[in-house]
Amino acid sequence: MTVEKFTALTPELHRYLIEHNSWRRDAVSKLIEKAAEGMERPEMQISPDQAAFMTVLVRASGASRALELGTFLGYGSIAIGRGLPEDGSLLSCEIDESNAERAREYIEQAGLTRRVEVRVGPALETLQSLPAEEAFDLSFIDADKVNYPSYYEEVLTRTVRGGLVLIDNTFMGGSVLEPDGDSSRAVAELNELVAADDRVQSAMVGVADGITLALKR
Ligand SMILES: C[S@@+](CC[C@H](N)C(=O)[O-])C[C@H]1O[C@@H](n2cnc3c(N)ncnc32)[C@H](O)[C@@H]1O
């Protein structure tokens, strides 16, 4: 029997949960939130509750080498960067030069330049150009959705045993139930693959637009 036990979020409850975590909505994060509002697709930026969740997850996992696919304005990079140890590193991949440039500025303002590198180019090419021995403890897949299945395979190969792969937007606004386009079809396809993948232990969690946590065995 499936137990239907969950609390649906209302806008009020969502605001409440954003106010009840220790994600620092400091000058930098507020600046990026404001900057995203002026972008063509502000919804691409992760939400403050997701940022809080990711910082805690990075710290709790003990990850020190991290990877992000899709930088946008660097909000998620800062969330990951803040969870890393002093000598940790994050490689964030972004196709758009102007996004990358702006993200670097915010990352600098957050005091994370030594930990976070933003590299410009198609994420798959950037990944494939890395030295064979380069591996990550934690990765966050959040770039173009049609490439999600390829990203997952490539990232998993470069994940250490016990490492964590976070896949964003695994609900696709609910459209994974009835995929209606290339992006939702690709994400729905990956959701099936991950759920049946013996190489990982996975959990899909209902934070923001759905995040799948896949832990490499
Ligand atoms: C959903 S946003 C990322 C949000 C970001 N992770 C955050 O925390 O706010 C997706 C980003 O991926 C970038 N992108 C799209 N296709 C890409 C590709 N093939 N390679 C690398 N980046 C890509 C977009 O320019 C966009 O900035």
Side-chain angles (χ1 to χ4, degrees), residues 112-183:
L112 290 167
T113 303
R114 279 182 45 216
R115 254 179 258 174
V116 182
E117 179 197 348
V118 180
R119 203 171 291 178
V120 176
L124 209 50
E125 286 180 23
T126 302
L127 268 179
Q128 288 165 347
S129 70
L130 296 175
E133 66 281 6
E134 191 145 348
F136 300 93
D137 306 309
L138 181 140
S139 299
F140 178 46
I141 300 178
D142 192 21
D144 52 321
K145 309 310 171 209
V146 285
N147 274 319
Y148 263 32
S150 311
Y151 290 148
Y152 176 70
E153 288 303 332
E154 196 66 37
V155 165
L156 197 60
T157 311
R158 291 186 177 276
T159 301
V160 299
R161 277 184 71 180
L164 199 53
V165 181
L166 312 180
I167 308 163
D168 202 24
N169 303 107
T170 47
F171 291 170
M172 286 296 284
S175 65
V176 285
L177 295 178
E178 287 184 40
D180 54 1
D182 291 346
S183 295

Side-chain angles (χ1 to χ4, degrees), residues 44-46 68 70-72 76 94-95 99 121-123 142-144 151:
M44 288 216 291
Q45 185 156 287
I46 63 163
E68 178 183 42
T71 314
F72 196 41
E94 171 59 50
I95 201 165
N99 284 352
D142 192 21
D144 52 321
Y151 290 148

